[in-house]
Each structure stands twice: as structure tokens, then as C-alpha cells.
Amino acid sequence: MTDEEIYQQIEEYREEANALYERTHEQVEASIVKHAQTKKRRKKLFAGMLSFAMVLVVTLAIVLPIVIQPQDQEIRYNDFSVLIPEELNYNLKEYYAINKQSLLYLDWYEYAEEMITLRYYEDGKESETVYLSESLIDGYRGYLVKLSVVKRNIVVEILDEKFEEYETTNIDDVQIIYMLDRKRSLAKFEYQGYKYYLEIEDEITLDFLLETIESMFNN
């Protein structure tokens, strides 16, 4: 191979090398741009995910306390002697009006010959009412009637222990638990967050008992 042929081949190698360099450079630049764009998209995606997570956390912080409200803890009074009665100077209807409460009562006041309304509280906690109780003698029929009102989460054992054997029925969607006896008739039910215990010291029919309870809903 002559010097001229060698020189020409070197020039061909150089041109081929330059072309290869240019192609390689373009590919590298394209790869760098693509990587940068991908990285930018990842940053945007990460920022979007982070923003969504922040919104979700804030939303949950606001919503969860509303949705997941813990129920009132049950308070049980097995020993009735720890409760102190306070006689009120007004009946249950008047007591509710004073305290702006919409609770049930037995509106037999027109025929009541004797009546006593009590508020029970725990010793040392006078401001906290455990339950209310009203007893009256119905002068029209001669019945001795007692109505007790307790918040749903409070258990006063002396009220519940009377229901050893009972039956159930319903007034609309309210379940009535009752006992009918020759000497005494009992009923209890829950309504709008409160438990009601009705006691009539006489023998009555189930129809009369249910009519009496239904009249409380209509006051």
C-alpha cells in the first residue's frame, strides 16, 4: 500500500469517526433531554401526589372526628345508696321547659292528687343529674304511677333488675319491654338517647299500657 493510499484510508477512518461522534453526541443529548423531561415529570407527579396526600391528611383530620365519634362510656350504678335524691319544686314537664329539653313525660297532672318529682345525683357531683323520677297518684283512676328517665349510657341497676321475666312489643319502631302482673305493671323503652321506665302499681291491660306510652310520644 502506497503512502497516498494509506493517507486516503486514514481520511476515511477520520470521516467515519467524526460521523460516529456526531451520531453518538446527538444520541447522548437526546438521552439527556429525555432523562431531564422524565425527571421533571416525576417531580411533577411526586409534587402532585404530595399535594393530594396533604389534602387527604387535612380532610381526614377534619372528617374523622365527625364521622368516628366515640360513644358515651357506660356508667353503671350497682349500689343505689351512692345516689342522693333531691326533691324538685316542679314537675317533669316544667323541668324540661326550664332546662330546654324535649323529653317525654306523663301528662296526668290534671288528675294528680299527690305528686313528687326527684332528681338523683351522685354524692359530691350535685351538678350532674344521674336520673329523674316522678311519682303521682292518678285521682281519676286511682293508679300509683312512677316514671323514671335515664340517659342511654347510664345503667341504674335498681331500675333494670325488676325486669326478670318480660315480653316485647313495638310502637312504630320503638321496642317496648314490659311485664304485666296483678299487683304491678312495668314497661321500659329507649327513645332519642334516653331510657324511660314506667311503673303502674295496679293490674292493667296491655292495650292500656301501650296507650299510656303512646300518649307520652304525643305530648
Side-chain angles (χ1 to χ4, degrees):
M1 183 178 290
T2 63
D3 292 342
E4 186 177 353
E5 289 174 339
I6 294 172
Y7 177 77
Q8 186 178 355
Q9 191 171 9
I10 291 172
E11 286 297 316
E12 289 176 358
Y13 287 153
R14 184 179 289 116
E15 290 176 2
E16 187 176 346
N18 288 336
L20 180 61
Y21 172 82
E22 291 295 332
R23 288 198 304 272
T24 304
H25 183 69
E26 289 174 0
Q27 291 174 356
V28 169
E29 284 187 338
S31 178
I32 292 172
V33 171
K34 185 177 180 180
H35 177 72
Q37 290 175 343
T38 302
K39 190 174 182 181
K40 189 175 182 180
R41 284 197 299 270
R42 286 177 178 173
K43 283 184 177 179
K44 287 184 177 179
L45 180 61
F46 178 74
M49 292 174 64
L50 184 60
S51 298
F52 175 76
M54 292 287 288
V55 171
L56 182 62
V57 168
V58 172
T59 303
L60 289 175
I62 295 172
V63 173
L64 281 178
I66 298 173
V67 176
I68 310 177
Q69 286 285 355
Q71 296 184 350
D72 291 336
Q73 186 176 359
E74 181 180 276
I75 303 172
R76 180 175 291 273
Y77 292 94
N78 299 324
D79 184 3
F80 188 69
S81 65
V82 302
L83 299 179
I84 299 175
E86 175 190 4
E87 185 173 353
L88 303 178
N89 296 321
Y90 27 78
N91 59 41
L92 283 182
K93 181 180 179 180
E94 295 166 338
Y95 179 86
Y96 297 155
I98 292 170
N99 291 277
K100 298 180 180 179
Q101 293 176 300
S102 299
L103 303 181
L104 304 183
Y105 59 93
L106 191 59
D107 195 5
W108 287 6
Y109 302 124
E110 182 180 354
Y111 306 107
E113 292 184 350
E114 295 183 27
M115 183 177 63
I116 181 170
T117 306
L118 300 173
R119 180 183 78 92
Y120 289 86
Y121 62 89
E122 188 177 350
D123 189 17
K125 299 180 180 179
E126 292 188 31
S127 62
E128 300 177 15
T129 300
V130 174
Y131 80 98
L132 299 166
S133 175
E134 185 166 82
S135 301
L136 60 86
I137 294 177
D138 174 22
Y140 182 72
R141 303 176 184 86
Y143 296 148
L144 172 60
V145 182
K146 181 179 180 180
L147 177 65
S148 300
V149 184
V150 191
K151 283 189 70 175
R152 178 182 293 165
N153 67 308
I154 296 178
V155 178
V156 181
E157 190 168 303
I158 196 172
L159 298 176
D160 285 300
E161 66 184 6
K162 298 175 183 179
F163 291 83
E164 297 175 357
E165 298 179 3
Y166 60 84
E167 298 181 72
T168 62
T169 186
N170 285 71
I171 297 178
D172 294 330
D173 60 344
V174 179
Q175 184 186 60
I176 311 296
I177 298 173
Y178 69 92
M179 288 177 55
L180 298 180
D181 192 86
R182 291 183 178 180
K183 296 182 178 180
R184 180 176 61 178
S185 301
L186 305 172
K188 68 175 179 177
F189 59 92
E190 286 190 20
Y191 185 73
Q192 295 184 348
Y194 283 81
K195 296 183 293 187
Y196 295 85
Y197 297 81
L198 180 63
E199 185 174 340
I200 300 177
E201 294 289 341
D202 210 323
E203 182 180 6
I204 60 172
T205 65
L206 177 59
D207 286 341
F208 180 80
L209 178 64
L210 296 179
E211 287 172 7
T212 301
I213 296 172
E214 196 164 9
S215 72
M216 295 169 60
F217 295 138
N218 298 327
N219 288 333

